Amino acid sequence: MKHDEDAEDSFAELYRRCFGRLTAQLYAITGDLGEAQEAVQEAFVRAWPRWPELRGYQNTEGWLYVVAHRVAVSRWRRTRRTVLGWL
């Protein structure tokens, strides 16, 4: 999907404004800074193709948080299944 320069600028601004805060919130949940950063990064990756729609949302950061949280939970579940499979 092609985005215009304004879309790129607004997305970059959202990233600068929210990445640290979202990472801190996910770190509090996961207890692992690397996992928190990866979950938030994945949320931004998923947001980019949807940006024309998402940029009109009243709470875009909330959308990112929900997606990052789901990514973190999914990774935790996958890891748990793997560990339990070895027992």
Side-chain angles (χ1 to χ4, degrees):
M1 172 178 288
K2 178 103 170 77
H3 293 287
D4 60 25
E5 191 172 321
D6 182 49
E8 292 175 12
D9 291 344
S10 64
F11 191 80
E13 173 56 31
L14 176 70
Y15 185 89
R16 282 189 294 274
R17 194 179 67 228
C18 298
F19 183 81
R21 185 170 41 248
L22 289 169
T23 299
Q25 291 168 346
L26 268 288
Y27 177 57
I29 293 167
T30 64
D32 183 312
L33 181 59
E35 283 293 321
Q37 290 170 329
E38 287 183 23
V40 173
Q41 195 74 300
E42 179 64 26
F44 275 99
V45 167
R46 293 180 186 187
W48 178 241
R50 296 171 175 84
W51 188 236
E53 175 190 350
L54 290 176
R55 72 191 292 192
Y57 282 20
Q58 189 172 6
N59 187 2
T60 308
E61 186 173 348
W63 186 93
L64 287 163
Y65 173 82
V66 168
V67 172
H69 184 267
R70 288 178 180 167
V71 167
V73 168
S74 178
R75 288 180 180 188
W76 175 82
R77 286 180 178 154
R78 191 175 319 116
T79 300
R80 183 173 179 265
R81 279 193 307 268
T82 300
V83 168
L84 290 176
W86 285 97
L87 297 179

